[in-house]
Amino acid sequence: MRVLRPSISLLLAAVMGGANAVVSALPGPPTRPEQEHLRWKGRSITLSVSSSVVQPNPNFKPDSDVIGAIRRSVDAWQAAAGLDIQIEFTDKQSVSPSGGAGDGISILTIAQTPDNVLLFSKDPKGGSAKTRVFYNKKGNVTEADIVLNPFEQFSTDGAFGTFDLEATIKHEIGHLLGLHHSAVLGSVMSDSIPRNDASGGERINSDLAACDVAAIRELYGAPDDDADCCSSIAGKLNIDRGARDLRVWAEETDTGRVVGQAKVAADGSFRIGGLTAGSYTVNWQRTDTDGKSVGLLSTVKISKNETRTLSERNPATRSTVSLELIGSSERLGDSAYHARGGREYTILVGGRQLNANSCSIEFSSPLIMLRPGSVVTEQFEDGMTALRFSLSTDEKLQPGAYTVYVTSGASRSALIGSIRVN
Ligand SMILES: [Zn+2]
């Protein structure tokens, strides 16, 4: 067994290298009920693109398709939920200051103005962008300003070490529309969008995942011509106050594709909406200071426009094994591993109490196959253990986000939707 000792700084850089984009009017998770479901009142929204983004700019790799990246990002969300997002151009440069009501103009900017720079003052290299959302007492968004980090490099061709502009803008427009971060690593709304080549695997793909489509449809409904939407899975968990974060997520029972997730509210209630009719496996995940534990809630078959309410459950089982990071080579991070069908990959997952002799690895899709005998244990500094293994993907594996599970006795942990197939 080869012992890996990546430097602490390398490991932390990988972990921190996300978008870390916050809904700045909401420091941390939603604390008031109206923050849970922010949305624009109507379906027509105008995004004003600052001249700082359009003009030649040292932050963008030369020949980057900036307008194309903005257009594709807008189009993807529009198509998913039947929204009408108009793009205008403006000489305005700065995010509206926090604390006020805003000026009602939602801008996309990268200018190095004092108000914009202030958003990144704590950690200038800390993330690709931030979005400040303004909303009223009814929970209606009235303005949302997106600031691309003026200290970072962006590209549209996968250039090493840069942020993918389309992935970044698509994520921030998700915030602009009212979405919070997703626990699905392969989601556009995952809180960690890596730099290109940060986690190995294929080039980052920023297409909306099924769970992103469901999330936006839960807020705005489906386009008028989509008769299959929307169904929901709702329920209640007995909350253990010790858990730092409690989530539920759903996978298609036959394909294993992650189709939706939801944060469990303070009263234990949850709702995964925006789904199409189908058969789903519903799981819970609790995050504690000592790791992540998962378990099965139910398998359900829901029909069109149905809301299925699951009986109350208690997510009590704490797992001794914990999956927290994924990557390849000698790098672990908290963003998805990008793969394709019909290939072989060697992957590393990191966490706690991971041991090749006692842990079994599974994937939510039967078309992702572990190579027998390939699992080895590796040690990282600061007590983190990792499992290295090889897998093959079937040619018929459909695009989507798939989950990695590790089981050891009665303990079970997962990286939700962490293998993103393009
Ligand atoms: Zn974000």
PDB file of all heavy atoms in Angstrom, residues 128-167:
ATOM      1  N   SER A 128     -15.348  31.862  -6.984  1.00  0.00           N
ATOM      2  CA  SER A 128     -15.434  32.391  -8.335  1.00  0.00           C
ATOM      3  C   SER A 128     -16.403  33.563  -8.447  1.00  0.00           C
ATOM      4  O   SER A 128     -16.240  34.410  -9.323  1.00  0.00           O
ATOM      5  CB  SER A 128     -15.846  31.286  -9.299  1.00  0.00           C
ATOM      6  OG  SER A 128     -17.049  30.688  -8.874  1.00  0.00           O
ATOM      7  N   ALA A 129     -17.397  33.627  -7.575  1.00  0.00           N
ATOM      8  CA  ALA A 129     -18.404  34.685  -7.710  1.00  0.00           C
ATOM      9  C   ALA A 129     -19.293  34.718  -6.466  1.00  0.00           C
ATOM     10  O   ALA A 129     -19.316  33.758  -5.688  1.00  0.00           O
ATOM     11  CB  ALA A 129     -19.275  34.431  -8.932  1.00  0.00           C
ATOM     12  N   LYS A 130     -19.998  35.801  -6.315  1.00  0.00           N
ATOM     13  CA  LYS A 130     -21.002  35.889  -5.260  1.00  0.00           C
ATOM     14  C   LYS A 130     -22.239  36.621  -5.792  1.00  0.00           C
ATOM     15  O   LYS A 130     -22.139  37.448  -6.692  1.00  0.00           O
ATOM     16  CB  LYS A 130     -20.451  36.642  -4.039  1.00  0.00           C
ATOM     17  CG  LYS A 130     -19.379  35.863  -3.286  1.00  0.00           C
ATOM     18  CD  LYS A 130     -18.942  36.591  -2.035  1.00  0.00           C
ATOM     19  CE  LYS A 130     -17.693  35.961  -1.414  1.00  0.00           C
ATOM     20  NZ  LYS A 130     -17.896  34.621  -0.867  1.00  0.00           N
ATOM     21  N   THR A 131     -23.383  36.268  -5.237  1.00  0.00           N
ATOM     22  CA  THR A 131     -24.631  36.903  -5.644  1.00  0.00           C
ATOM     23  C   THR A 131     -25.325  37.487  -4.418  1.00  0.00           C
ATOM     24  O   THR A 131     -25.486  36.789  -3.417  1.00  0.00           O
ATOM     25  CB  THR A 131     -25.564  35.883  -6.330  1.00  0.00           C
ATOM     26  OG1 THR A 131     -24.920  35.409  -7.515  1.00  0.00           O
ATOM     27  CG2 THR A 131     -26.894  36.508  -6.698  1.00  0.00           C
ATOM     28  N   ARG A 132     -25.675  38.740  -4.505  1.00  0.00           N
ATOM     29  CA  ARG A 132     -26.414  39.389  -3.412  1.00  0.00           C
ATOM     30  C   ARG A 132     -27.874  39.501  -3.835  1.00  0.00           C
ATOM     31  O   ARG A 132     -28.184  40.114  -4.846  1.00  0.00           O
ATOM     32  CB  ARG A 132     -25.819  40.767  -3.106  1.00  0.00           C
ATOM     33  CG  ARG A 132     -26.590  41.541  -2.047  1.00  0.00           C
ATOM     34  CD  ARG A 132     -25.861  42.813  -1.649  1.00  0.00           C
ATOM     35  NE  ARG A 132     -24.718  42.516  -0.777  1.00  0.00           N
ATOM     36  CZ  ARG A 132     -23.649  43.297  -0.648  1.00  0.00           C
ATOM     37  NH1 ARG A 132     -23.556  44.403  -1.359  1.00  0.00           N
ATOM     38  NH2 ARG A 132     -22.671  42.966   0.169  1.00  0.00           N
ATOM     39  N   VAL A 133     -28.733  38.883  -3.034  1.00  0.00           N
ATOM     40  CA  VAL A 133     -30.156  38.827  -3.374  1.00  0.00           C
ATOM     41  C   VAL A 133     -30.943  39.770  -2.463  1.00  0.00           C
ATOM     42  O   VAL A 133     -30.763  39.766  -1.245  1.00  0.00           O
ATOM     43  CB  VAL A 133     -30.691  37.388  -3.226  1.00  0.00           C
ATOM     44  CG1 VAL A 133     -32.186  37.339  -3.509  1.00  0.00           C
ATOM     45  CG2 VAL A 133     -29.944  36.439  -4.160  1.00  0.00           C
ATOM     46  N   PHE A 134     -31.797  40.570  -3.061  1.00  0.00           N
ATOM     47  CA  PHE A 134     -32.704  41.445  -2.308  1.00  0.00           C
ATOM     48  C   PHE A 134     -34.112  40.880  -2.443  1.00  0.00           C
ATOM     49  O   PHE A 134     -34.515  40.461  -3.533  1.00  0.00           O
ATOM     50  CB  PHE A 134     -32.661  42.870  -2.867  1.00  0.00           C
ATOM     51  CG  PHE A 134     -31.319  43.528  -2.716  1.00  0.00           C
ATOM     52  CD1 PHE A 134     -30.323  43.332  -3.663  1.00  0.00           C
ATOM     53  CD2 PHE A 134     -31.047  44.347  -1.622  1.00  0.00           C
ATOM     54  CE1 PHE A 134     -29.077  43.935  -3.531  1.00  0.00           C
ATOM     55  CE2 PHE A 134     -29.809  44.946  -1.486  1.00  0.00           C
ATOM     56  CZ  PHE A 134     -28.820  44.741  -2.431  1.00  0.00           C
ATOM     57  N   TYR A 135     -34.836  40.878  -1.342  1.00  0.00           N
ATOM     58  CA  TYR A 135     -36.182  40.315  -1.397  1.00  0.00           C
ATOM     59  C   TYR A 135     -37.075  41.046  -0.404  1.00  0.00           C
ATOM     60  O   TYR A 135     -36.585  41.697   0.519  1.00  0.00           O
ATOM     61  CB  TYR A 135     -36.152  38.813  -1.092  1.00  0.00           C
ATOM     62  CG  TYR A 135     -35.531  38.466   0.231  1.00  0.00           C
ATOM     63  CD1 TYR A 135     -36.314  38.338   1.372  1.00  0.00           C
ATOM     64  CD2 TYR A 135     -34.155  38.293   0.341  1.00  0.00           C
ATOM     65  CE1 TYR A 135     -35.745  38.040   2.596  1.00  0.00           C
ATOM     66  CE2 TYR A 135     -33.585  37.998   1.565  1.00  0.00           C
ATOM     67  CZ  TYR A 135     -34.371  37.868   2.681  1.00  0.00           C
ATOM     68  OH  TYR A 135     -33.802  37.591   3.898  1.00  0.00           O
ATOM     69  N   ASN A 136     -38.374  40.931  -0.618  1.00  0.00           N
ATOM     70  CA  ASN A 136     -39.312  41.624   0.274  1.00  0.00           C
ATOM     71  C   ASN A 136     -39.876  40.655   1.318  1.00  0.00           C
ATOM     72  O   ASN A 136     -39.494  39.479   1.362  1.00  0.00           O
ATOM     73  CB  ASN A 136     -40.418  42.305  -0.537  1.00  0.00           C
ATOM     74  CG  ASN A 136     -41.239  41.295  -1.330  1.00  0.00           C
ATOM     75  OD1 ASN A 136     -41.311  40.114  -0.978  1.00  0.00           O
ATOM     76  ND2 ASN A 136     -41.862  41.753  -2.404  1.00  0.00           N
ATOM     77  N   LYS A 137     -40.791  41.165   2.120  1.00  0.00           N
ATOM     78  CA  LYS A 137     -41.297  40.356   3.235  1.00  0.00           C
ATOM     79  C   LYS A 137     -42.097  39.145   2.778  1.00  0.00           C
ATOM     80  O   LYS A 137     -42.292  38.189   3.528  1.00  0.00           O
ATOM     81  CB  LYS A 137     -42.164  41.231   4.154  1.00  0.00           C
ATOM     82  CG  LYS A 137     -41.332  42.149   5.030  1.00  0.00           C
ATOM     83  CD  LYS A 137     -42.203  42.990   5.949  1.00  0.00           C
ATOM     84  CE  LYS A 137     -41.324  43.873   6.830  1.00  0.00           C
ATOM     85  NZ  LYS A 137     -42.063  45.010   7.377  1.00  0.00           N
ATOM     86  N   LYS A 138     -42.579  39.209   1.560  1.00  0.00           N
ATOM     87  CA  LYS A 138     -43.330  38.059   1.041  1.00  0.00           C
ATOM     88  C   LYS A 138     -42.406  36.975   0.483  1.00  0.00           C
ATOM     89  O   LYS A 138     -42.878  35.947   0.004  1.00  0.00           O
ATOM     90  CB  LYS A 138     -44.285  38.520  -0.060  1.00  0.00           C
ATOM     91  CG  LYS A 138     -45.419  39.393   0.439  1.00  0.00           C
ATOM     92  CD  LYS A 138     -46.267  39.864  -0.734  1.00  0.00           C
ATOM     93  CE  LYS A 138     -47.424  40.714  -0.231  1.00  0.00           C
ATOM     94  NZ  LYS A 138     -48.079  41.431  -1.348  1.00  0.00           N
ATOM     95  N   GLY A 139     -41.108  37.221   0.548  1.00  0.00           N
ATOM     96  CA  GLY A 139     -40.174  36.244  -0.007  1.00  0.00           C
ATOM     97  C   GLY A 139     -40.013  36.357  -1.508  1.00  0.00           C
ATOM     98  O   GLY A 139     -39.510  35.449  -2.157  1.00  0.00           O
ATOM     99  N   ASN A 140     -40.434  37.490  -2.070  1.00  0.00           N
ATOM    100  CA  ASN A 140     -40.239  37.707  -3.502  1.00  0.00           C
ATOM    101  C   ASN A 140     -38.920  38.428  -3.750  1.00  0.00           C
ATOM    102  O   ASN A 140     -38.652  39.476  -3.142  1.00  0.00           O
ATOM    103  CB  ASN A 140     -41.383  38.547  -4.082  1.00  0.00           C
ATOM    104  CG  ASN A 140     -42.689  37.776  -4.118  1.00  0.00           C
ATOM    105  OD1 ASN A 140     -42.685  36.568  -4.345  1.00  0.00           O
ATOM    106  ND2 ASN A 140     -43.792  38.456  -3.881  1.00  0.00           N
ATOM    107  N   VAL A 141     -38.121  37.875  -4.643  1.00  0.00           N
ATOM    108  CA  VAL A 141     -36.862  38.505  -5.006  1.00  0.00           C
ATOM    109  C   VAL A 141     -37.173  39.783  -5.783  1.00  0.00           C
ATOM    110  O   VAL A 141     -38.029  39.793  -6.676  1.00  0.00           O
ATOM    111  CB  VAL A 141     -36.007  37.563  -5.873  1.00  0.00           C
ATOM    112  CG1 VAL A 141     -34.698  38.249  -6.294  1.00  0.00           C
ATOM    113  CG2 VAL A 141     -35.697  36.276  -5.118  1.00  0.00           C
ATOM    114  N   THR A 142     -36.500  40.874  -5.405  1.00  0.00           N
ATOM    115  CA  THR A 142     -36.725  42.144  -6.103  1.00  0.00           C
ATOM    116  C   THR A 142     -35.506  42.570  -6.913  1.00  0.00           C
ATOM    117  O   THR A 142     -35.605  43.409  -7.801  1.00  0.00           O
ATOM    118  CB  THR A 142     -37.043  43.259  -5.082  1.00  0.00           C
ATOM    119  OG1 THR A 142     -36.001  43.294  -4.093  1.00  0.00           O
ATOM    120  CG2 THR A 142     -38.379  42.982  -4.387  1.00  0.00           C
ATOM    121  N   GLU A 143     -34.349  41.994  -6.584  1.00  0.00           N
ATOM    122  CA  GLU A 143     -33.110  42.305  -7.298  1.00  0.00           C
ATOM    123  C   GLU A 143     -32.084  41.266  -6.883  1.00  0.00           C
ATOM    124  O   GLU A 143     -32.114  40.783  -5.748  1.00  0.00           O
ATOM    125  CB  GLU A 143     -32.593  43.708  -6.912  1.00  0.00           C
ATOM    126  CG  GLU A 143     -31.217  44.041  -7.483  1.00  0.00           C
ATOM    127  CD  GLU A 143     -30.684  45.401  -6.978  1.00  0.00           C
ATOM    128  OE1 GLU A 143     -31.498  46.222  -6.495  1.00  0.00           O
ATOM    129  OE2 GLU A 143     -29.467  45.614  -7.057  1.00  0.00           O
ATOM    130  N   ALA A 144     -31.185  40.906  -7.817  1.00  0.00           N
ATOM    131  CA  ALA A 144     -30.070  40.030  -7.451  1.00  0.00           C
ATOM    132  C   ALA A 144     -28.872  40.426  -8.297  1.00  0.00           C
ATOM    133  O   ALA A 144     -28.963  40.486  -9.519  1.00  0.00           O
ATOM    134  CB  ALA A 144     -30.443  38.564  -7.675  1.00  0.00           C
ATOM    135  N   ASP A 145     -27.777  40.746  -7.624  1.00  0.00           N
ATOM    136  CA  ASP A 145     -26.575  41.213  -8.308  1.00  0.00           C
ATOM    137  C   ASP A 145     -25.479  40.160  -8.234  1.00  0.00           C
ATOM    138  O   ASP A 145     -25.143  39.684  -7.150  1.00  0.00           O
ATOM    139  CB  ASP A 145     -26.074  42.517  -7.664  1.00  0.00           C
ATOM    140  CG  ASP A 145     -27.085  43.643  -7.788  1.00  0.00           C
ATOM    141  OD1 ASP A 145     -27.846  43.640  -8.777  1.00  0.00           O
ATOM    142  OD2 ASP A 145     -27.120  44.514  -6.899  1.00  0.00           O
ATOM    143  N   ILE A 146     -24.937  39.820  -9.395  1.00  0.00           N
ATOM    144  CA  ILE A 146     -23.892  38.801  -9.476  1.00  0.00           C
ATOM    145  C   ILE A 146     -22.548  39.488  -9.691  1.00  0.00           C
ATOM    146  O   ILE A 146     -22.396  40.272 -10.624  1.00  0.00           O
ATOM    147  CB  ILE A 146     -24.166  37.831 -10.655  1.00  0.00           C
ATOM    148  CG1 ILE A 146     -25.516  37.130 -10.461  1.00  0.00           C
ATOM    149  CG2 ILE A 146     -23.024  36.838 -10.811  1.00  0.00           C
ATOM    150  CD1 ILE A 146     -25.969  36.344 -11.695  1.00  0.00           C
ATOM    151  N   VAL A 147     -21.596  39.200  -8.819  1.00  0.00           N
ATOM    152  CA  VAL A 147     -20.250  39.750  -8.964  1.00  0.00           C
ATOM    153  C   VAL A 147     -19.275  38.602  -9.203  1.00  0.00           C
ATOM    154  O   VAL A 147     -19.086  37.744  -8.336  1.00  0.00           O
ATOM    155  CB  VAL A 147     -19.825  40.549  -7.717  1.00  0.00           C
ATOM    156  CG1 VAL A 147     -18.445  41.168  -7.943  1.00  0.00           C
ATOM    157  CG2 VAL A 147     -20.851  41.619  -7.378  1.00  0.00           C
ATOM    158  N   LEU A 148     -18.687  38.579 -10.405  1.00  0.00           N
ATOM    159  CA  LEU A 148     -17.610  37.621 -10.664  1.00  0.00           C
ATOM    160  C   LEU A 148     -16.374  38.126  -9.938  1.00  0.00           C
ATOM    161  O   LEU A 148     -16.103  39.330  -9.928  1.00  0.00           O
ATOM    162  CB  LEU A 148     -17.331  37.523 -12.169  1.00  0.00           C
ATOM    163  CG  LEU A 148     -18.510  37.057 -13.037  1.00  0.00           C
ATOM    164  CD1 LEU A 148     -18.156  37.177 -14.520  1.00  0.00           C
ATOM    165  CD2 LEU A 148     -18.894  35.619 -12.696  1.00  0.00           C
ATOM    166  N   ASN A 149     -15.629  37.220  -9.320  1.00  0.00           N
ATOM    167  CA  ASN A 149     -14.465  37.599  -8.517  1.00  0.00           C
ATOM    168  C   ASN A 149     -13.422  38.299  -9.389  1.00  0.00           C
ATOM    169  O   ASN A 149     -12.827  37.674 -10.267  1.00  0.00           O
ATOM    170  CB  ASN A 149     -13.872  36.347  -7.867  1.00  0.00           C
ATOM    171  CG  ASN A 149     -12.803  36.688  -6.839  1.00  0.00           C
ATOM    172  OD1 ASN A 149     -12.174  37.738  -6.909  1.00  0.00           O
ATOM    173  ND2 ASN A 149     -12.624  35.789  -5.874  1.00  0.00           N
ATOM    174  N   PRO A 150     -13.198  39.619  -9.167  1.00  0.00           N
ATOM    175  CA  PRO A 150     -12.270  40.354 -10.032  1.00  0.00           C
ATOM    176  C   PRO A 150     -10.803  39.997  -9.791  1.00  0.00           C
ATOM    177  O   PRO A 150      -9.927  40.563 -10.434  1.00  0.00           O
ATOM    178  CB  PRO A 150     -12.549  41.824  -9.680  1.00  0.00           C
ATOM    179  CG  PRO A 150     -13.169  41.805  -8.339  1.00  0.00           C
ATOM    180  CD  PRO A 150     -13.837  40.480  -8.152  1.00  0.00           C
ATOM    181  N   PHE A 151     -10.561  39.055  -8.858  1.00  0.00           N
ATOM    182  CA  PHE A 151      -9.183  38.594  -8.630  1.00  0.00           C
ATOM    183  C   PHE A 151      -8.959  37.202  -9.209  1.00  0.00           C
ATOM    184  O   PHE A 151      -7.928  36.584  -8.963  1.00  0.00           O
ATOM    185  CB  PHE A 151      -8.880  38.580  -7.128  1.00  0.00           C
ATOM    186  CG  PHE A 151      -9.150  39.882  -6.450  1.00  0.00           C
ATOM    187  CD1 PHE A 151     -10.214  40.032  -5.575  1.00  0.00           C
ATOM    188  CD2 PHE A 151      -8.353  40.989  -6.717  1.00  0.00           C
ATOM    189  CE1 PHE A 151     -10.484  41.243  -4.960  1.00  0.00           C
ATOM    190  CE2 PHE A 151      -8.608  42.207  -6.108  1.00  0.00           C
ATOM    191  CZ  PHE A 151      -9.678  42.341  -5.230  1.00  0.00           C
ATOM    192  N   GLU A 152      -9.943  36.683  -9.951  1.00  0.00           N
ATOM    193  CA  GLU A 152      -9.838  35.322 -10.478  1.00  0.00           C
ATOM    194  C   GLU A 152      -9.782  35.308 -12.003  1.00  0.00           C
ATOM    195  O   GLU A 152     -10.105  36.298 -12.663  1.00  0.00           O
ATOM    196  CB  GLU A 152     -11.031  34.473 -10.003  1.00  0.00           C
ATOM    197  CG  GLU A 152     -10.953  34.063  -8.551  1.00  0.00           C
ATOM    198  CD  GLU A 152      -9.852  33.054  -8.262  1.00  0.00           C
ATOM    199  OE1 GLU A 152      -9.172  32.606  -9.219  1.00  0.00           O
ATOM    200  OE2 GLU A 152      -9.655  32.727  -7.082  1.00  0.00           O
ATOM    201  N   GLN A 153      -9.387  34.153 -12.532  1.00  0.00           N
ATOM    202  CA  GLN A 153      -9.303  33.951 -13.976  1.00  0.00           C
ATOM    203  C   GLN A 153     -10.426  33.020 -14.421  1.00  0.00           C
ATOM    204  O   GLN A 153     -10.691  32.003 -13.777  1.00  0.00           O
ATOM    205  CB  GLN A 153      -7.950  33.320 -14.337  1.00  0.00           C
ATOM    206  CG  GLN A 153      -6.762  34.230 -14.069  1.00  0.00           C
ATOM    207  CD  GLN A 153      -6.681  35.358 -15.096  1.00  0.00           C
ATOM    208  OE1 GLN A 153      -6.790  35.119 -16.289  1.00  0.00           O
ATOM    209  NE2 GLN A 153      -6.525  36.574 -14.611  1.00  0.00           N
ATOM    210  N   PHE A 154     -11.032  33.363 -15.545  1.00  0.00           N
ATOM    211  CA  PHE A 154     -12.131  32.570 -16.091  1.00  0.00           C
ATOM    212  C   PHE A 154     -11.834  32.220 -17.546  1.00  0.00           C
ATOM    213  O   PHE A 154     -11.119  32.936 -18.241  1.00  0.00           O
ATOM    214  CB  PHE A 154     -13.444  33.360 -16.029  1.00  0.00           C
ATOM    215  CG  PHE A 154     -13.858  33.743 -14.638  1.00  0.00           C
ATOM    216  CD1 PHE A 154     -13.386  34.916 -14.054  1.00  0.00           C
ATOM    217  CD2 PHE A 154     -14.711  32.933 -13.912  1.00  0.00           C
ATOM    218  CE1 PHE A 154     -13.761  35.274 -12.764  1.00  0.00           C
ATOM    219  CE2 PHE A 154     -15.099  33.286 -12.621  1.00  0.00           C
ATOM    220  CZ  PHE A 154     -14.619  34.453 -12.048  1.00  0.00           C
ATOM    221  N   SER A 155     -12.430  31.114 -17.995  1.00  0.00           N
ATOM    222  CA  SER A 155     -12.277  30.740 -19.405  1.00  0.00           C
ATOM    223  C   SER A 155     -13.516  29.977 -19.839  1.00  0.00           C
ATOM    224  O   SER A 155     -14.367  29.606 -19.018  1.00  0.00           O
ATOM    225  CB  SER A 155     -11.033  29.869 -19.589  1.00  0.00           C
ATOM    226  OG  SER A 155     -11.275  28.580 -19.031  1.00  0.00           O
ATOM    227  N   THR A 156     -13.605  29.754 -21.140  1.00  0.00           N
ATOM    228  CA  THR A 156     -14.713  28.946 -21.662  1.00  0.00           C
ATOM    229  C   THR A 156     -14.188  27.730 -22.424  1.00  0.00           C
ATOM    230  O   THR A 156     -14.930  27.075 -23.138  1.00  0.00           O
ATOM    231  CB  THR A 156     -15.619  29.783 -22.591  1.00  0.00           C
ATOM    232  OG1 THR A 156     -14.811  30.382 -23.617  1.00  0.00           O
ATOM    233  CG2 THR A 156     -16.333  30.880 -21.813  1.00  0.00           C
ATOM    234  N   ASP A 157     -12.882  27.445 -22.263  1.00  0.00           N
ATOM    235  CA  ASP A 157     -12.310  26.307 -23.008  1.00  0.00           C
ATOM    236  C   ASP A 157     -11.654  25.279 -22.097  1.00  0.00           C
ATOM    237  O   ASP A 157     -10.874  24.445 -22.540  1.00  0.00           O
ATOM    238  CB  ASP A 157     -11.293  26.812 -24.047  1.00  0.00           C
ATOM    239  CG  ASP A 157     -10.091  27.481 -23.394  1.00  0.00           C
ATOM    240  OD1 ASP A 157     -10.078  27.625 -22.144  1.00  0.00           O
ATOM    241  OD2 ASP A 157      -9.149  27.852 -24.125  1.00  0.00           O
ATOM    242  N   GLY A 158     -11.963  25.327 -20.789  1.00  0.00           N
ATOM    243  CA  GLY A 158     -11.413  24.329 -19.870  1.00  0.00           C
ATOM    244  C   GLY A 158      -9.960  24.577 -19.495  1.00  0.00           C
ATOM    245  O   GLY A 158      -9.305  23.672 -18.968  1.00  0.00           O
ATOM    246  N   ALA A 159      -9.444  25.776 -19.718  1.00  0.00           N
ATOM    247  CA  ALA A 159      -8.030  26.057 -19.445  1.00  0.00           C
ATOM    248  C   ALA A 159      -7.681  25.735 -17.988  1.00  0.00           C
ATOM    249  O   ALA A 159      -8.408  26.119 -17.063  1.00  0.00           O
ATOM    250  CB  ALA A 159      -7.720  27.517 -19.749  1.00  0.00           C
ATOM    251  N   PHE A 160      -6.572  25.058 -17.813  1.00  0.00           N
ATOM    252  CA  PHE A 160      -6.140  24.572 -16.509  1.00  0.00           C
ATOM    253  C   PHE A 160      -6.075  25.708 -15.488  1.00  0.00           C
ATOM    254  O   PHE A 160      -5.512  26.771 -15.755  1.00  0.00           O
ATOM    255  CB  PHE A 160      -4.774  23.893 -16.626  1.00  0.00           C
ATOM    256  CG  PHE A 160      -4.331  23.227 -15.355  1.00  0.00           C
ATOM    257  CD1 PHE A 160      -4.651  21.904 -15.101  1.00  0.00           C
ATOM    258  CD2 PHE A 160      -3.598  23.927 -14.405  1.00  0.00           C
ATOM    259  CE1 PHE A 160      -4.255  21.291 -13.919  1.00  0.00           C
ATOM    260  CE2 PHE A 160      -3.202  23.322 -13.221  1.00  0.00           C
ATOM    261  CZ  PHE A 160      -3.538  22.006 -12.978  1.00  0.00           C
ATOM    262  N   GLY A 161      -6.647  25.470 -14.304  1.00  0.00           N
ATOM    263  CA  GLY A 161      -6.511  26.414 -13.196  1.00  0.00           C
ATOM    264  C   GLY A 161      -7.492  27.571 -13.226  1.00  0.00           C
ATOM    265  O   GLY A 161      -7.574  28.324 -12.264  1.00  0.00           O
ATOM    266  N   THR A 162      -8.239  27.725 -14.316  1.00  0.00           N
ATOM    267  CA  THR A 162      -9.237  28.797 -14.379  1.00  0.00           C
ATOM    268  C   THR A 162     -10.596  28.258 -13.939  1.00  0.00           C
ATOM    269  O   THR A 162     -10.816  27.051 -13.883  1.00  0.00           O
ATOM    270  CB  THR A 162      -9.392  29.337 -15.813  1.00  0.00           C
ATOM    271  OG1 THR A 162      -9.896  28.283 -16.658  1.00  0.00           O
ATOM    272  CG2 THR A 162      -8.056  29.825 -16.367  1.00  0.00           C
ATOM    273  N   PHE A 163     -11.493  29.168 -13.641  1.00  0.00           N
ATOM    274  CA  PHE A 163     -12.882  28.775 -13.407  1.00  0.00           C
ATOM    275  C   PHE A 163     -13.617  28.747 -14.746  1.00  0.00           C
ATOM    276  O   PHE A 163     -13.396  29.622 -15.590  1.00  0.00           O
ATOM    277  CB  PHE A 163     -13.588  29.759 -12.469  1.00  0.00           C
ATOM    278  CG  PHE A 163     -13.224  29.598 -11.024  1.00  0.00           C
ATOM    279  CD1 PHE A 163     -12.427  30.540 -10.384  1.00  0.00           C
ATOM    280  CD2 PHE A 163     -13.680  28.503 -10.306  1.00  0.00           C
ATOM    281  CE1 PHE A 163     -12.099  30.395  -9.033  1.00  0.00           C
ATOM    282  CE2 PHE A 163     -13.359  28.346  -8.964  1.00  0.00           C
ATOM    283  CZ  PHE A 163     -12.561  29.290  -8.327  1.00  0.00           C
ATOM    284  N   ASP A 164     -14.483  27.769 -14.908  1.00  0.00           N
ATOM    285  CA  ASP A 164     -15.311  27.721 -16.104  1.00  0.00           C
ATOM    286  C   ASP A 164     -16.382  28.812 -15.995  1.00  0.00           C
ATOM    287  O   ASP A 164     -17.170  28.827 -15.048  1.00  0.00           O
ATOM    288  CB  ASP A 164     -15.960  26.342 -16.244  1.00  0.00           C
ATOM    289  CG  ASP A 164     -16.720  26.216 -17.548  1.00  0.00           C
ATOM    290  OD1 ASP A 164     -16.075  25.911 -18.562  1.00  0.00           O
ATOM    291  OD2 ASP A 164     -17.940  26.458 -17.547  1.00  0.00           O
ATOM    292  N   LEU A 165     -16.388  29.710 -16.970  1.00  0.00           N
ATOM    293  CA  LEU A 165     -17.277  30.872 -16.883  1.00  0.00           C
ATOM    294  C   LEU A 165     -18.743  30.454 -16.916  1.00  0.00           C
ATOM    295  O   LEU A 165     -19.570  30.987 -16.166  1.00  0.00           O
ATOM    296  CB  LEU A 165     -16.967  31.831 -18.042  1.00  0.00           C
ATOM    297  CG  LEU A 165     -17.628  33.204 -17.967  1.00  0.00           C
ATOM    298  CD1 LEU A 165     -17.207  33.968 -16.723  1.00  0.00           C
ATOM    299  CD2 LEU A 165     -17.306  34.019 -19.220  1.00  0.00           C
ATOM    300  N   GLU A 166     -19.053  29.485 -17.772  1.00  0.00           N
ATOM    301  CA  GLU A 166     -20.456  29.075 -17.878  1.00  0.00           C
ATOM    302  C   GLU A 166     -20.925  28.387 -16.590  1.00  0.00           C
ATOM    303  O   GLU A 166     -22.029  28.646 -16.109  1.00  0.00           O
ATOM    304  CB  GLU A 166     -20.645  28.150 -19.086  1.00  0.00           C
ATOM    305  CG  GLU A 166     -22.101  27.821 -19.342  1.00  0.00           C
ATOM    306  CD  GLU A 166     -22.309  27.030 -20.626  1.00  0.00           C
ATOM    307  OE1 GLU A 166     -21.460  27.137 -21.538  1.00  0.00           O
ATOM    308  OE2 GLU A 166     -23.301  26.295 -20.697  1.00  0.00           O
ATOM    309  N   ALA A 167     -20.091  27.519 -16.035  1.00  0.00           N
ATOM    310  CA  ALA A 167     -20.471  26.846 -14.784  1.00  0.00           C
ATOM    311  C   ALA A 167     -20.684  27.874 -13.681  1.00  0.00           C
ATOM    312  O   ALA A 167     -21.607  27.765 -12.865  1.00  0.00           O
ATOM    313  CB  ALA A 167     -19.400  25.843 -14.381  1.00  0.00           C
TER     314      ALA A 167
END
